[in-house]
Each structure stands twice: as structure tokens, then as C-alpha cells.
Amino acid sequence: MSTSLPKPQPYHHGDLRRALLDGAMAMLESGGAANLGLRELARLLKVSPAAPYRHFDNKISLLEALAVRGYQQFSAQMKEAAIGDTPEARLAAMGHAYVRFALDNMELFRLMFSPELKRANRPTLRMAADAAFETLRIATATSSPDGGRIAALQAWAKVHGLAILLLDGQIAIREGENLDGLIRAIIGTEPAGA
Amino acid sequence: MSTSLPKPQPYHHGDLRRALLDGAMAMLESGGAANLGLRELARLLKVSPAAPYRHFDNKISLLEALAVRGYQQFSAQMKEAAIGDTPEARLAAMGHAYVRFALDNMELFRLMFSPELKRANRPTLRMAADAAFETLRIATATSSPDGGRIAALQAWAKVHGLAILLLDGQIAIREGENLDGLIRAIIGTEPAGA
DNA sequence: TACTTATGTGGTCACTGTTAACATCATCGG
DNA sequence: CCGATGATGTTAACAGTGACCACATAAGTA
């Protein structure tokens, strides 16, 4: 009568790659990319410290995969948000979605723009990023009739800057102030005063 | 004739604290804060791995000191740049100086806004940062007669976003394009179309 | 059934931040 | 002048990391 021992834990994990990505994402959002350790991740998944290397060349490679997933989500949410009657309204809606994404995925957003990853210069990451920004470029182009690059860059800078400042807690939210309202107020006002 | 031996290296360094800061700054600007190692730094200064700990509690503490120095430089350069006939002109000049500082001290600027440091929440760093931003707050307040917070935040977001995007190489500089001109074009256009 | 490939393990290396115990020096009170 | 004291550096160690190797195990396939 072999009493059921604590489960012989199958030698193979089943879907380690996905588990690694999910676990890494969880660790990322609770402590930043710097505090994300491959060994700790392996420990969490009850797997040997070397196991992750079967699925990712190195730590950067794992982070890159996370960032790529981030850019895909980001891109999708931007497209989804681009609703409105006028091009300007659509652009504003996208800007709002941009900031919301940053706030809802703080560490992921930071990772996506991390210089660490930029230094690695992985082509697949570049492509994911380019694809995401292309969506934005088109929206700004159709929004400003002269195809003005300056106006597009202004809009991008304003939205990106707002996202980062909010992320860093530099912009103090006042008592009883509505965050979404503040965001809209900041990005909504068009330079031309239309 | 005692041939001058390779110098018995005095037991004490003389001004290690300063040397640490300078060396750290050099390492910072060539590889980012992540690649700044206390041991490597000690090695560079021909000093034992534990020596730095006589001057800084830990790595974060060293980085904090660098960031504080950064905020002081930053603040000084902002004040120095605030010249012009109208408040708007002064604000634009400060915005330009803001972006220039970021470009001239890329890694330092990143460090100053690093979440790693923000997490540590050192009071002296907070004070240095607050002092620097206070300069900006005043400039934006005097620039917009209604003391409009929204306008101030818009300006800040635009300038900060531009700095970060340039830092990250997200904004492509076109052939024969003048960087300072581009910066001025982006931050110079006032929302009111003045 | 035998061969091949994918996946996970254990052990090891070089490196890091950090601390504790000890050495050296400069300075100041007697 | 001299000895105590505190500041500064050194050596040795610890835990933790990313990364790599040879090997073990499973799964798939000819």
C-alpha cells in the first residue's frame, strides 16, 4: 500500500516558457526589472536555476520577450481606443489610452523604454516598437492636415512626458481631483486652440 | 642612489570621497547606473573593495549623492538660462536648457529620475529635486497670468517628454537637421499660438 | 525498438554588494 | 614629546547573482 507520496513532480514542467513569462511579469510589476532575478524566478517555479536558459538565452532575452508582449498589448489598446468623430478627437483618445497604459502597467512601460533593452538593440524588439509607434504616427499625420512633423512630435512629447511624470509621482494629484480628468485636461487642449 | 621605487602608495588615499564621486560619474556616463559597480570603482581607484563603504552606506547612497549633484547643476543651469524679455521667452529658454541638460548628461539625467532612487526615498534627494523644480514652478506661474496649473503641467510634460524621447533615440534627427532648432521648434510654439 | 531532440538537473565559475575584524595614520590632550 | 582616539583602508569572508558545462530524463519519430 504505497501511501500517496507528495507527488513525484514530473521531470518536465509542461509549459515552462509560458510560466517563465507570466512569473517574470508578476515579479516585474512588483519590484522593477532590476529586482527580477532568473534564479529567484526559477525558485518560484520550483525548477532548477539553469532551466530558464533552455528557453531564453539570457536575462536580457527574457526581458525583451516581456517588452515585446508589452508593445503588442500597447498597440492593441491604442487601436482600440482610437474612436471619435474627428481626427483630433481620435488622437486625444489615443493619447489618453497611452497614459492609461503607462499607469496600468508601470514597470512594463518602464521596461519597454528601458535603455538597458535599447542598448541590446534586438531586432524583434525594434520591430514590435516600430509597429506600435507606426499606429501613432498615422494618427498624428491624419490629424494635422499639413502632415506637420512638429505638431506630431509636440503631441507625442506631451503625452509621453505626462505618462513618465505621473509614473514617477512627480505630478501631485490634489485632494478629490479626478486623475482621468486631469489627463484629459492636459492632453486635450490642442496647440492651435481649435 | 636609491632608484625611485614605484612609490610606496600612502595608506590613505587623500580625498577618496571626491575620487569616488568623480569616478562613479565617469562610469555612470559610460554604461549607465546598472553597470556601475562599487568593486570595479574601487579597483579603478586602486583601493580595496570595502573602502567605499567608509564614505557611503551602500550603492544607493553613492548614486543618491551623484543625483543630488546632478540636481544642483541642473538647477543652476536653469536659472542661468532664464533670460529673455517676456516671461514666455524666459520659460522657453528654460525649457531649452532643460532638454540640453538631459542631452549633455544623459545617464545622470536618467539617474535623477530613476525609480530605483525614488524607491529609496532619501530626504536629501527629495530636497534637491524639489529645489530644482521650484525654479521651474515659479517660471511657469509668472508666465501664465491665471497661474494655470494645467498650462504649467502641459509645458513641463512637453519638455520632459521631449528630453526623454531624444535620450532614448526615439526621435530621429533628419539629414542636415539642426538639433537645437528642432528643440526650439517643439517647445517654442505656445499653446495660445502667440 | 533504437535514434534523436527537447527539456530539466547539479555543480561550478566569476562576479557583485555587504559586513566584520584588523591595520594604519593623523590629530589632539597631557 | 607621547600616547589615546577616531577616521580611514585592508583583508577575509558570506550570500546572492548570471552564466555555463556535462549529464539525466522524457518525448517523439524513423
Side-chain angles (χ1 to χ4, degrees):
Chain A
M1 54 162 287
S2 60
T3 58
S4 68
L5 290 175
K7 273 198 181 177
Q9 291 273 37
Y11 192 88
H12 287 85
H13 178 283
D15 194 356
L16 185 55
R17 188 190 166 92
R18 163 113 15 179
L20 284 168
L21 284 173
D22 292 347
M25 184 65 96
M27 287 183 62
L28 179 68
E29 285 301 337
S30 76
N35 297 48
L36 194 168
L38 284 191
R39 290 184 99 104
E40 189 182 349
L41 179 56
R43 218 174 297 133
L44 218 74
L45 301 181
K46 297 179 188 298
V47 108
S48 94
Y53 289 89
R54 290 291 153 191
H55 299 273
F56 299 97
D57 285 355
N58 47 38
K59 185 176 172 176
I60 285 286
S61 205
L62 207 206
L63 292 178
E64 183 205 5
L66 285 185
V68 166
R69 221 161 72 161
Y71 274 116
Q72 288 163 350
Q73 281 181 245
F74 179 69
S75 196
Q77 293 190 19
M78 295 296 285
K79 276 179 197 148
E80 192 177 342
I83 55 177
D85 295 338
T86 69
E88 289 77 18
R90 283 192 288 275
L91 182 59
M94 286 178 77
H96 193 266
Y98 192 112
V99 177
R100 268 254 72 93
F101 180 89
L103 292 178
D104 292 340
N105 311 276
M106 305 214 297
E107 296 299 335
L108 178 58
F109 187 82
R110 283 209 176 93
L111 177 67
M112 285 160 53
F113 288 90
S114 135
E116 198 68 23
L117 280 189
K118 187 131 316 236
R119 261 189 274 272
N121 199 29
R122 304 293 178 104
T124 95
L125 179 62
R126 270 197 80 84
M127 284 174 50
D130 287 350
F133 293 140
E134 183 64 11
T135 320
L136 286 176
R137 208 192 51 72
I138 291 172
T140 55
T142 61
S143 166
S144 68
D146 59 334
R149 189 159 88 104
I150 297 300
L153 290 179
Q154 279 182 335
W156 191 11
K158 195 165 64 174
V159 169
H160 193 76
L162 176 59
I164 299 253
L165 289 177
L166 283 173
L167 236 61
D168 288 352
Q170 302 280 9
I171 296 182
I173 304 298
R174 290 181 179 168
E175 200 68 28
E177 189 170 39
N178 182 289
L179 179 54
D180 278 313
L182 181 62
I183 296 173
R184 240 180 287 273
I186 293 180
I187 67 181
T189 311
E190 286 305 317
Chain B
M1 51 159 289
S2 61
T3 57
S4 67
L5 290 175
K7 275 198 179 176
Q9 291 273 39
Y11 191 88
H12 287 86
H13 179 282
D15 193 356
L16 184 56
R17 188 189 166 90
R18 165 117 10 184
L20 284 168
L21 284 173
D22 292 348
M25 185 65 98
M27 286 182 63
L28 178 68
E29 285 302 337
S30 77
N35 296 48
L36 194 168
L38 284 191
R39 290 187 99 105
E40 189 182 348
L41 179 55
R43 219 174 296 135
L44 218 75
L45 301 181
K46 296 180 190 297
V47 106
S48 92
Y53 288 88
R54 292 291 152 188
H55 300 273
F56 300 96
D57 284 353
N58 47 38
K59 185 176 173 178
I60 285 284
S61 206
L62 208 206
L63 293 178
E64 182 204 6
L66 285 184
V68 167
R69 221 160 75 161
Y71 274 117
Q72 288 162 350
Q73 281 181 244
F74 179 69
S75 195
Q77 293 189 19
M78 296 295 285
K79 276 179 197 147
E80 193 177 343
I83 55 178
D85 295 336
T86 68
E88 289 76 18
R90 284 193 287 275
L91 183 60
M94 287 178 77
H96 193 266
Y98 192 112
V99 177
R100 270 254 69 95
F101 180 89
L103 292 179
D104 292 339
N105 311 275
M106 305 212 297
E107 296 299 336
L108 179 58
F109 186 82
R110 283 209 177 92
L111 177 67
M112 287 161 52
F113 287 91
S114 136
E116 197 68 21
L117 280 190
K118 184 129 318 233
R119 260 189 274 271
N121 198 30
R122 305 292 178 107
T124 95
L125 179 63
R126 269 197 80 85
M127 284 173 50
D130 287 350
F133 294 139
E134 184 63 11
T135 321
L136 286 176
R137 209 191 50 73
I138 291 172
T140 55
T142 61
S143 166
S144 71
D146 60 333
R149 189 160 88 104
I150 297 301
L153 289 180
Q154 279 182 334
W156 191 12
K158 193 164 65 175
V159 170
H160 192 76
L162 176 59
I164 299 250
L165 289 177
L166 283 172
L167 237 62
D168 288 353
Q170 302 280 9
I171 296 182
I173 305 298
R174 289 181 179 168
E175 200 68 31
E177 189 171 39
N178 182 289
L179 179 55
D180 279 314
L182 180 63
I183 296 173
R184 238 179 287 273
I186 293 180
I187 68 180
T189 311
E190 287 305 316

